Structure formats: C-alpha cells, structure tokens
C-alpha cells in the first residue's frame, strides 16, 4: 500500500491549487483553481495541441464565474464551487479522501487536513470551510494556518516580514515567533493577474487579441522587473535618438538607462509567432512597483507593514523580508524590491530573501521553490510533533464550533 503522510496539505489560491502530503518536499499536484459551469474543472481546450495542462489559470472578467477564489478569498456565493474544487483535489488529483475507511486493502484511520489560509480571511469563511471539511468530507482532524507564517517556515525562519504575491492578491505580513501580527497585515489587490492584464493591453494595441491564459504564459516566460532608476539619470533615449516610450500610465519609477530588454518572438499554441516588444516585457511588471490610486505598490506595502509594528521588532523584520508566491518569481523582482525598500527604509540593515547571498548557503533551495512556499511550510509543519497538539479533532469541533477561532494560527 502507498505510504502517505498523516496529513493532506492544501494551499488553494486565486489561480492554482497546491495539494499533497505532509513530509514531502513538493506538492503532488498543482492545478488551476477553476471549475466550469457543469462542475468539471474547465480545462477542455487549455491543453490542446499536445500541450501540458497549465499549473494556473488567472481570473479576469471573461472567466470570473469559473473562479471560486478571487483575490485570495472565497466569495459569499461560491462555497458550493469551493466544495467541488476540494472534491476534485481529493478525488481526481490525490486519489485519496481524508475520511477514515475500514474497507479492506486501503484501510486508514483517516487523514488530517491542513488548509493554508489567506491573511485576513474573515471568521465566517473559516467557519464555512470547517463545516464543509468536517461534515461533507468527514475529516478526522483539521488545522487552519496563515499562509504567510508557512512561507516563512519554508525559508527556515520564525520571524520576518513576508511579502506574498500570487495571482489575485498580495499581502505584507509581519511574523514574530511563528505568529502573524494581525494588526500590521496589509493587503493589495495588485498581483500577477494585473501584470498579465498590462501585457495583454499592450498586445491589443498592435491588434493581437490573445487568450488571457496565453498571455499569462508569455508573462511568465518573457516579463522582467526593471532595475530601479537612480535619481537624476535621464531616461534612455529610444532608437534614432527619439525619446524613450512613455512609461505605462500606472508605473511611476522610470526604468534605468540601459535597462531596455530585447524584442523577442513568442510561439503561440497554434505554432504562429508573435513579436513581443522589449519595452512591454519591462513595462508590465511596473504596475506592481508603481501602485494605483486605490491599491498600494508592493514596496510601500512592506514598508508600511513594518512601520506598524513595535519599534523593537522592526530590525528583525527589516533583516528578513521574505518573498513568496509565483509573482515574486519574475526575473529581477528580488533586486528591484531590495532597491525600492533600501530607498524607503534607509535606516538599518535590510535583507531581502532570496537575495544576493554572500555565503551561498542560507537560502539554498528556497529560491526556486518559493512559488510553493506556503505549501512547503505546511508540509513541514504538519510533519512536526507539535502539529498533533494544534490540530482540531472532529469531536472537539462538534462539542464547540468556536474552537476554530481559538486554535488557528
């Protein structure tokens, strides 16, 4: 029989679900967190032409109805869809339901479930999730854990400030001794899908209307965060001495001279080639650093979050700014974040993780895996002895449902 960890670990985000077993290094399954109207998840047509199924599908106005989770949270009317998404996770992806079974052959006393929870998840959403897990899926034990604290564990720390940036939402979360400092958690709805939208808008200007999922793939392969311009340097002239193309409307910092990226060709799923201008490759991620009238730019999010914490904690937080989530995987993102934060937080030691690492040892392995950081932290935590004390047993919940608010991290 297959040996599995004692716990199923699930990190369900706006664009992808990460699922697997405690004690393992990586999720067994990473798949798009979407469902079509019929209930099966909407992948027909995504993996055409021999392509592999994508790990994520971002939300935009055309497919919003397929996404149970938007901007990191399950909307009020979407719990039935969320239940189906969990059912797909257990049944189709893991081939393993958490409910205990006495059927011959696959007997197990049931598997605990650890759910990574977005920072600031409302109490009512946690109550609904617990009800579905205990009543519908009959899980023997459940644990809710803040995804930012889990990401920090994955980097080998228990204190620091985590910048989580996924597809639909970004958070800055200060963590001290493993606990998120709730009063200083800040949220911005600037995230990966906004970078995709910015790239799509530029492509539309040339008459290319491509599917949002194709543009997401282009973004992941071609976009780069531009280095921060040094104050006082003029913008680089364009070809033939013409002025550089104007920065995108929502980007404030000018890209540095010599920071121009080459034009590249991208092959579409049907085999045709499309040209992607170098300027767009750098302009799209600019939205994360420029901010919008209603949403904080990501460097400001981190700096303000640190500023809301006790002064005594601030040096520890500045010394461990940990980046997590798929959007932080954009090439150049870490360097740009470090440069931006150095400009806003001049006092004291600042360290962005992963970053240039003089010793070459401390962040080994964190770099490439940080898009799954919360899942990996959950896998680590659920395999510790402590996990047995903090999980909520089904009987405890039946006796007192409010226990999920006292025992969640």
């Amino acid at each position: 029989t297959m040996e599995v960890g004692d716990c199923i670990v699930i990190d369900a985000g706006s664009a992808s679900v990460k699922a697997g077993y405690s004690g393992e290094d990586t999720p067994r399954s990473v798949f798009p967190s979407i469902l079509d109207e019929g209930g099966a998840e909407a992948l027909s047509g995504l993996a055409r032409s021999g392509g592999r199924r994508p790990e994520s599908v971002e939300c935009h106005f055309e497919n919003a109805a397929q996404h149970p989770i938007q901007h990191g949270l399950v909307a009020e009317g979407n719990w039935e869809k969320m239940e189906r998404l969990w059912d797909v996770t257990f049944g189709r992806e893991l081939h393993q339901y958490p409910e205990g079974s006495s059927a011959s052959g696959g007997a197990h006393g049931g598997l605990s479930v650890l759910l990574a929870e977005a920072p600031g998840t409302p109490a009512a959403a946690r109550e609904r999730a617990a009800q579905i897990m205990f009543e519908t899926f009959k899980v023997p034990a459940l644990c809710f854990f803040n995804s930012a604290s889990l990401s920090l564990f994955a980097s080998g720390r228990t204190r620091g400030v985590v910048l989580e940036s996924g597809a639909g939402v970004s958070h800055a979360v200060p963590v001290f001794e493993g606990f998120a400092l709730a009063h200083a958690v800040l949220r911005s709805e600037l995230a990966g899908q906004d970078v995709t939208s910015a790239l799509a808008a530029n492509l539309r200007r040339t008459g290319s209307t491509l599917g949002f999922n194709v543009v997401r793939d282009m973004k992941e392969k071609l976009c780069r965060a531009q280095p921060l311009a040094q104050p006082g340097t003029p913008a680089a002239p364009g070809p033939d001495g013409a002025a550089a193309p104007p920065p995108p409307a929502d980007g404030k910092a000018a890209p540095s001279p010599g920071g121009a990226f080459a034009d590249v060709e991208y092959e579409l799923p049907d085999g045709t080639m499309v040209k992607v201008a170098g300027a767009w490759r750098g302009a799209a991620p600019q939205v994360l650093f420029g901010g919008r009238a209603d949403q904080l730019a990501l460097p400001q999010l981190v700096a303000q979050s640190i500023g809301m914490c006790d002064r005594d904690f601030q040096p520890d937080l500045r010394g461990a700014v940990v980046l997590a989530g798929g959007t932080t995987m954009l090439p150049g993102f870490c360097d740009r974040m470090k440069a931006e934060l150095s400009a806003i937080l001049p006092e004291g030691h600042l360290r962005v993780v992963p970053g240039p690492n003089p010793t070459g040892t401390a962040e080994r392995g964190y770099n490439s895996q940080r898009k799954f950081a919360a899942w990996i932290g959950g896998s680590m935590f659920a395999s510790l002895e402590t996990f047995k004390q903090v999980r909520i047993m089904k009987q405890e919940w039946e006796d007192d449902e409010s226990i999920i608010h006292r025992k969640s991290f």
Side-chain angles (χ1 to χ4, degrees), residues 361-399:
T361 51
E363 262 59 70
R364 195 185 60 217
Y366 183 68
N367 198 8
S368 60
Q369 290 300 328
R370 70 179 181 275
K371 64 179 172 178
F372 304 141
W375 187 90
I376 293 167
S379 171
M380 288 162 54
F381 180 74
S383 54
L384 299 176
E385 242 347 91
T386 352
F387 177 68
K388 297 200 168 52
Q389 278 103 65
V390 303
R391 61 188 180 177
I392 299 157
M393 306 308 287
K394 187 168 194 282
Q395 188 60 52
E396 291 183 274
W397 177 78
E398 285 171 352
D399 294 343

Side-chain angles (χ1 to χ4, degrees), residues 30-228:
V30 181
F31 64 100
S33 46
I34 55 173
L35 296 154
D36 64 22
E37 301 316 297
E41 123 272 26
L43 290 179
S44 47
L46 280 181
R48 276 201 304 266
S49 65
R52 287 173 51 233
R53 139 178 121 172
E55 287 187 340
S56 70
V57 170
E58 291 175 334
C59 187
H60 63 120
F61 64 91
E62 287 164 31
N63 71 2
Q66 298 176 347
H67 283 260
I69 303 173
Q70 298 184 20
H71 301 299
L73 300 173
V74 180
E76 200 36 61
N78 280 351
W79 284 101
E80 271 178 44
K81 287 182 188 167
M82 192 63 218
E83 187 176 316
R84 288 211 306 264
L85 193 61
W86 280 325
D87 193 68
V88 163
T89 305
F90 296 132
R92 196 197 62 208
E93 297 297 318
L94 297 178
H95 310 293
Q96 177 93 332
Y97 282 86
E99 182 180 0
S101 67
S102 49
S104 57
H108 65 81
L111 296 169
S112 303
V113 170
L114 183 147
L115 294 178
E117 193 177 64
T121 295
R126 181 183 298 154
E127 288 160 12
R128 196 68 202 274
Q131 184 187 7
I132 293 171
M133 283 292 161
F134 284 128
E135 291 181 352
T136 305
F137 296 110
K138 300 187 169 43
V139 301
L142 181 62
C143 179
F144 292 97
F145 215 109
N146 186 300
S147 58
S149 297
L150 295 177
S151 295
L152 196 64
F153 292 157
S155 82
R157 294 170 172 75
T158 56
R159 55 172 81 169
V161 60
V162 179
L163 173 70
E164 284 195 305
S165 188
V169 68
S170 300
H171 289 94
V173 183
V175 177
F176 205 72
E177 305 316 347
F179 289 95
L181 303 176
H183 71 278
V185 171
L186 291 177
R187 176 174 193 271
S188 174
E189 289 186 2
L190 285 177
Q193 62 201 34
D194 300 281
V195 179
T196 305
S197 294
L199 182 58
N202 273 324
L203 288 161
R204 277 198 300 276
R205 292 220 299 263
T206 64
S208 308
T209 39
L210 301 171
F212 205 71
N213 205 50
V214 171
V215 183
R216 175 196 55 79
D217 185 69
M218 277 180 151
K219 168 192 73 171
E220 290 175 12
K221 294 193 170 81
L222 304 178
C223 283
R224 312 179 62 90
Q226 294 163 323
L228 184 61

Side-chain angles (χ1 to χ4, degrees), residues 163-340:
L163 173 70
E164 284 195 305
S165 188
V169 68
S170 300
H171 289 94
V173 183
V175 177
F176 205 72
E177 305 316 347
F179 289 95
L181 303 176
H183 71 278
V185 171
L186 291 177
R187 176 174 193 271
S188 174
E189 289 186 2
L190 285 177
Q193 62 201 34
D194 300 281
V195 179
T196 305
S197 294
L199 182 58
N202 273 324
L203 288 161
R204 277 198 300 276
R205 292 220 299 263
T206 64
S208 308
T209 39
L210 301 171
F212 205 71
N213 205 50
V214 171
V215 183
R216 175 196 55 79
D217 185 69
M218 277 180 151
K219 168 192 73 171
E220 290 175 12
K221 294 193 170 81
L222 304 178
C223 283
R224 312 179 62 90
Q226 294 163 323
L228 184 61
Q230 296 313 310
T233 48
D240 315 321
D250 35 18
K252 296 194 180 75
S256 69
F261 304 125
D263 296 353
V264 284
E265 296 274 302
Y266 173 90
E267 185 179 351
L268 296 174
D270 65 4
T272 55
M273 302 300 283
V274 57
K275 185 175 131 181
V276 181
W280 304 344
R281 296 173 62 197
Q286 189 59 32
V287 58
L288 302 171
F289 300 102
R292 281 204 308 254
D294 57 332
Q295 303 294 336
L296 275 177
L298 303 192
Q300 278 68 28
L301 203 67
V302 174
Q304 288 189 23
S305 173
I306 293 174
M308 290 165 77
C309 293
D310 189 304
R311 286 198 81 80
D312 297 343
F313 292 167
Q314 291 184 15
D316 280 339
L317 299 177
R318 282 197 301 270
V321 178
V322 174
L323 308 181
T327 295
T328 71
M329 301 292 290
L330 283 167
F333 185 97
C334 300
D335 293 342
R336 173 68 180 268
M337 191 50 97
K338 170 118 202 215
E340 294 262 6

